[in-house]
Amino acid sequence: MGNLRSKIILDAFKKKAIEIPAPESEVSRWFGELVFTRDKMRRYLDPSTFEALAKCIDEGSSLDLETADKVAAGMKKWALEQGVTHITHWFQPLTDGTAEKHDSLIDYDGKGGVIETFTGKSLVQQEPDASSFPNGGIRATFEARGYTAWDPASPVFIQDDTLCIPTVFVAYTGEALDFKTPLKRAIKAVGDAALPICNLFDPKAKRVFAYLGWEQEYFLVDEDIYAARPDLMITGRTLMGHESSKNQQLDDHYFGAIPSRVAAFMKDLETEGYKLGIPLKTRHKEVAPNQFEFAPIFGELNLSNDQNQQIMNIMHKVARKHGFVVLLHEKPFAGVNGSGKHNNWSLGTDTGVNLFAPGKDALGNLQFITFFVNTLYAVQRHNGLLKASISSATNAHRLGANEAPPAIVSAFVGRTMHEVLEKLVELPSGTPIEIAGKKGTSVGAIGIPEIFVDNTDRNRTSPFAFTGNRFEFRAVGSSANCAGAMITLNTAVAEQLLDFKASLDAEIAAGKELNVAVVDTLKPLIESILKVVCFEGNGYSEEWKKEAKKRGLDTENVVPRMIMEYLKDDAVKMFTRCGVFSERELHARNEVKLETYVKKIQIEARVMGRMALNHIIPAALEYQTKLLQNASLQKELLGADAPAVEIDLARQISSLVADIRKKVVDMTEARKKANKQEDAFEKALAYSAIADMLPGIRKPIDDLEEIVDNATWPLPKYRELLFIS
Ligand code: ADP
Ligand code: MG
């Protein structure tokens, strides 16, 4: 392997960037060319069909079959012009990725030939034989069928030769089996709860939207080097590997010059994204070697999340064209930063007001403060649940480790807003305050600057931060579907807004003026968040863990226990009240989460065991044999005593090998025991103990890597994985 490894490394190092031809025209001319956009709807549909579809999209209503037939006919015409031969319903089951089953457009024409057909029915609904998707028992007890139904709010797009129709995926009994269904419900819940509050300040607003701007972090690894690492291939992360002498300690990767092979990949990816109407905006090197990030311009949450799912798929394909493999795992390498996916989130009205941006006048600022405080209070109320929403077997390696995010959900608001909140609570009750903005008066006023000076004063250790005109939920994992976090956040805020509105109505009914009533209702909330969820200090510190516990924040760091938050009374009440999950759905999804957790760790444990026994130990013994032969020859030919160094090394190897073997056997035994557990939660707990055994096996392996001859070592090393691109 040693020589083969050197050859792989050298070949990888010598790979050149693929020439990416410059686009024929500026992006704005072909942006969205593979999407059935509104513009194309107008061109390919008759005016009344277009109107009906537009209404459906804008109001979230469903499409009647007659209109659907006409829409399908227009879509088919467009798709055939683009060379499409297949269609698929494209959905987001409870796995890590998306699902698609392609059907060709051909059908018998009754005259012995075939024709292309595409009906409204197959646009609107399909019944994939989906009994193999994770369903948490929902399917087993009823008919093992589900159906997918088009979400007209997500435009249809073309991928290769296939027309993709974004759909929800539900059981025949109506339960959600995917991410999109509850995400849409949560978006509706928060919009519906926010609107009546907005209308107090802005009677013209008719709808409130949720927005998402994700920042996708990832690693690139040369594909040939990757192929020599079974752990990366099977689990998405390295289960072993001694740290490289150099990693990120020089801070020389972040925002550094982008190597040409990577730049070509990025360009290619952006081109594919633009064709699909994904407004990719930023690209840069991240902190760890071979780690990168890109982000689009934020957009409506449901669509933006679809686009994140699309681009995650495309990344894998495009990377291979460039001889790379994309790693979306949260922690592919020990000792350097892992990858996350910051979710920048905000609420806004159809009148163009961002509810998390300071207003233009006193009333606007009062509205801003209202939504700002209620969001933080919602995060406080459900901090454990929000942590559950981002927890997984893979994100567990970031959570609580000494990098973003800590396993405690607190909020950072910045100095300016902190001071504003403090001033607000100090006001005597009933003070008719005005929060001055640009045009604000200064009578008894508390000032909010139009632009925050500490807008960029980012506390990177905070999992939930206010960044000037939005909140940034930073704890989301790089491989996750953002919907997991967004469903919980939006529902939590929806619930809080409902409660707030009820209290506010009572104050107003008691004769208080709006601005007095608002501040009086907000005050106890502000007092509470300042004491509990708001934290401006270092989230990584040991003191914070103690302090957070005292404040009553959730400090649980065992993933299966975190997941159980979804079944606690408060969570069930919140989700059912807001119409996002039924209790049955919550139970089913939790079962899926626990099962997924178990399976991921089970796979890692198996790979770890096999690599230890089949890769590492044989290599160590091979080198040990050489050492012993050498010692023996020295003794025989040089007439020396047994040479101390060689014998000593051989002994060290024996002891490390014995340690590895014993730990692998122990782990296998632990697995056997865990597998007997019937209860999903108990089983997941047992597997979390198995996850904790892996570093113990890794340690002697990494120690061996430091001893064994480099030429004999069977796996590409960290320095080779992390520095070639
Ligand atoms: P940083 O790394 O400095 O946080 P990036 O530019 O990498 O910033 O990403 C910021 C993301 O936040 C982008 O997707 C951007 O479009 C998004 N964003 C900006 N304003 C809002 C907003 N009001 N609501 C939601 N997302 C927003
Ligand atoms: Mg960023």
Side-chain angles (χ1 to χ4, degrees):
M1 180 67 200
N3 291 334
L4 178 59
R5 194 176 104 234
S6 310
K7 182 163 164 24
I8 293 172
I9 306 300
L10 188 64
D11 287 349
F13 185 74
K14 288 200 292 203
K15 284 184 197 168
K16 296 282 181 281
I18 301 175
E19 286 286 338
I20 300 294
E24 278 166 25
S25 56
E26 55 273 48
V27 175
S28 54
R29 285 175 181 269
W30 46 273
F31 184 80
E33 70 177 21
L34 295 179
V35 182
F36 197 62
T37 52
R38 237 170 233 254
D39 179 41
K40 289 188 194 94
M41 288 173 196
R42 208 175 273 119
R43 281 191 353 239
Y44 286 85
L45 305 177
D46 65 73
S48 66
T49 308
F50 170 76
E51 291 300 328
L53 180 56
K55 189 161 174 277
C56 227
I57 295 170
D58 294 336
E59 293 171 11
S61 51
S62 57
L63 209 59
D64 65 81
L65 217 52
E66 198 185 321
T67 315
D69 270 331
K70 292 182 186 157
V71 174
M75 263 179 199
K76 186 179 91 176
K77 185 163 186 298
W78 170 68
L80 289 175
E81 283 169 16
Q82 307 299 314
V84 161
T85 55
H86 287 68
I87 68 154
T88 184
H89 276 199
W90 180 84
F91 55 103
Q92 300 168 31
L94 299 175
T95 59
D96 279 345
T98 58
E100 49 193 83
K101 176 200 164 225
H102 300 192
D103 283 328
S104 103
L105 289 171
I106 59 160
D107 207 347
Y108 285 123
D109 64 358
K111 298 175 209 149
V114 295
I115 49 161
E116 279 77 16
T117 60
F118 181 38
T119 61
K121 190 166 177 311
S122 55
L123 165 66
V124 172
Q125 189 169 321
Q126 279 188 358
E127 293 174 23
D129 172 22
S131 46
S132 298
F133 290 103
N135 58 74
I138 279 187
R139 310 182 66 82
T141 48
F142 289 82
E143 274 186 286
R145 281 193 303 165
Y147 67 91
T148 50
W150 183 31
D151 169 21
S154 298
V156 165
F157 61 93
I158 295 173
Q159 210 169 272
D160 301 327
D161 56 2
T162 303
L163 187 69
C164 301
I165 300 156
T167 58
V168 295
F169 178 39
V170 292
Y172 252 92
T173 42
E175 279 101 351
L177 296 171
D178 67 346
F179 283 105
K180 193 187 244 297
T181 307
L183 181 63
K184 286 177 71 76
R185 293 175 187 161
I187 290 170
K188 181 167 170 5
V190 80
D192 289 353
L195 186 63
I197 299 176
C198 283
N199 284 152
L200 296 171
F201 306 99
D202 173 7
K204 286 206 206 84
K206 290 205 177 59
R207 275 186 83 180
V208 173
F209 300 100
Y211 295 100
L212 168 68
W214 41 264
E215 301 167 45
Q216 179 73 55
E217 292 182 337
Y218 62 98
F219 280 84
L220 288 176
V221 175
D222 180 87
E223 65 183 1
D224 293 327
I225 305 179
Y226 169 90
R229 291 283 317 210
D231 46 357
L232 269 186
M233 283 190 90
I234 306 294
T235 73
R237 73 177 180 111
T238 54
L239 297 172
M240 53 192 69
H242 196 280
E243 246 186 72
S244 161
S245 312
K246 174 180 189 279
N247 47 46
Q248 64 189 43
Q249 65 272 57
L250 294 177
D251 296 326
D252 53 353
H253 200 263
Y254 192 57
F255 284 14
I258 300 172
S260 28
R261 245 179 104 195
V262 177
F265 158 76
M266 288 174 163
K267 259 189 228 174
D268 216 355
L269 180 66
E270 283 167 352
T271 304
E272 295 306 313
Y274 292 153
K275 286 188 202 159
L276 286 166
I278 305 175
L280 300 177
K281 180 80 175 166
T282 64
R283 59 183 191 208
H284 63 84
K285 274 186 167 181
E286 256 302 327
V287 169
N290 273 356
Q291 190 188 29
F292 308 91
E293 180 190 297
F294 63 97
I297 301 170
F298 71 96
E300 187 276 315
L301 169 51
N302 175 38
L303 178 60
S304 182
N305 188 49
D306 279 353
Q307 293 182 335
N308 180 239
Q309 290 294 305
Q310 283 175 279
I311 205 87
M312 284 162 79
N313 287 339
I314 300 168
M315 285 172 89
H316 290 298
K317 294 186 190 171
V318 173
R320 292 304 298 277
K321 254 169 69 184
H322 295 262
F324 286 125
V325 174
V326 166
L327 306 180
L328 290 175
H329 193 289
E330 283 78 1
K331 193 76 180 173
F333 305 102
V336 296
N337 274 17
S339 300
K341 181 151 55 196
H342 294 180
N343 279 201
N344 294 269
W345 171 83
S346 64
L347 295 173
T349 63
D350 57 345
T351 49
V353 175
N354 174 355
L355 297 173
F356 296 132
K360 289 196 170 55
D361 51 26
L363 206 58
N365 269 336
L366 202 57
Q367 172 168 266
F368 159 59
I369 287 288
T370 300
F371 281 94
F372 181 80
V373 169
N374 276 294
T375 297
L376 292 167
Y377 196 72
V379 169
Q380 172 167 315
R381 266 173 97 169
H382 292 291
N383 70 91
L385 191 62
L386 281 163
K387 187 166 65 182
S389 78
I390 51 90
S391 71
S392 64
T394 52
N395 207 19
H397 298 280
R398 285 169 76 232
L399 273 176
N402 207 15
E403 66 177 76
I408 300 161
V409 173
S410 62
F412 171 84
V413 299
R415 190 169 40 79
T416 314
M417 284 314 295
H418 211 269
E419 282 168 9
V420 169
L421 295 181
E422 276 171 347
K423 281 191 201 151
L424 278 170
V425 276
E426 281 160 16
L427 285 177
S429 172
T431 316
I433 77 113
E434 296 214 336
I435 305 170
K438 195 158 68 177
K439 292 186 232 146
T441 60
S442 57
V443 193
I446 291 170
I448 295 184
E450 261 186 277
I451 297 172
F452 291 96
V453 275
D454 54 2
N455 188 358
T456 51
D457 166 21
R458 308 288 183 80
N459 182 335
R460 289 278 158 193
T461 70
S462 179
F464 195 81
F466 178 63
T467 47
N469 62 357
R470 61 190 186 269
F471 285 97
E472 201 169 326
F473 193 12
R474 302 213 180 101
V476 184
S478 49
S479 72
N481 187 315
C482 304
M486 287 293 111
I487 291 164
T488 301
L489 177 62
N490 285 281
T491 311
V493 173
E495 179 199 43
Q496 176 54 31
L497 290 173
L498 291 175
D499 287 349
F500 173 80
K501 181 68 169 50
S503 314
L504 181 66
D505 286 348
E507 297 281 334
I508 292 173
K512 286 190 187 171
E513 280 194 27
L514 180 66
N515 62 349
V516 176
V518 168
V519 175
D520 285 357
T521 315
L522 285 175
K523 245 198 249 174
L525 306 181
I526 300 176
E527 243 167 306
S528 174
I529 57 175
L530 283 175
K531 282 197 202 110
V532 183
V533 82
C534 290
F535 176 65
E536 310 285 295
N538 177 6
Y540 300 161
S541 67
E542 279 307 309
E543 302 85 75
W544 171 231
K545 284 185 200 153
K546 285 183 212 137
E547 165 74 19
K549 205 168 188 157
K550 256 196 266 164
R551 292 185 184 198
L553 290 170
D554 184 299
T555 55
E556 181 59 62
N557 57 17
V558 177
V559 173
R561 288 191 209 282
M562 290 181 198
I563 293 175
M564 294 311 276
E565 283 290 316
Y566 276 96
L567 299 185
K568 291 197 175 153
D569 286 349
D570 281 354
V572 174
K573 233 164 73 193
M574 174 191 102
F575 283 120
T576 51
R577 176 179 174 199
C578 295
V580 173
F581 286 126
S582 67
E583 195 162 352
R584 205 171 126 71
E585 285 173 319
L586 283 170
H587 278 276
R589 298 171 88 92
N590 250 37
E591 201 164 308
V592 171
K593 283 198 190 114
L594 293 170
E595 250 174 47
T596 307
Y597 178 82
V598 164
K599 286 177 187 161
K600 289 213 167 161
I601 299 205
Q602 187 176 50
I603 292 168
E604 287 195 347
R606 287 175 177 163
V607 173
M608 177 60 121
R610 294 197 171 119
M611 286 177 73
L613 301 182
N614 305 339
H615 284 73
I616 305 304
I617 294 183
L621 296 183
E622 186 182 328
Y623 179 56
Q624 190 191 43
T625 305
K626 280 191 196 158
L627 288 168
L628 293 175
Q629 278 168 347
N630 175 291
S632 160
L633 284 173
Q634 284 196 48
K635 211 166 148 185
E636 188 185 319
L637 302 177
L638 306 179
D641 285 341
V645 175
E646 290 76 359
I647 297 292
D648 187 40
L649 278 172
R651 285 216 172 92
Q652 274 184 51
I653 290 174
S654 288
S655 124
L656 289 167
V657 164
D659 191 24
I660 294 168
R661 251 196 79 90
K662 175 172 184 313
K663 285 176 175 162
V664 169
V665 171
D666 290 351
M667 180 186 66
T668 312
E669 285 307 311
R671 253 169 33 224
K672 279 188 198 151
K673 256 175 80 184
N675 291 343
K676 292 209 183 89
Q677 279 288 355
E678 296 279 331
D679 181 77
F681 171 66
E682 292 299 333
K683 188 167 178 178
L685 261 193
Y687 265 91
S688 98
I690 292 166
D692 291 341
M693 298 171 94
L694 298 187
I697 303 174
R698 177 184 187 138
K699 176 77 176 59
I701 293 177
D702 291 356
D703 289 348
L704 275 177
E705 189 183 322
E706 291 285 88
I707 297 176
V708 171
D709 175 15
N710 182 55
T712 311
W713 196 252
L715 300 170
K717 298 187 173 186
Y718 266 35
R719 60 165 191 262
E720 295 153 351
L721 287 160
L722 283 170
F723 289 93
I724 293 176
S725 56

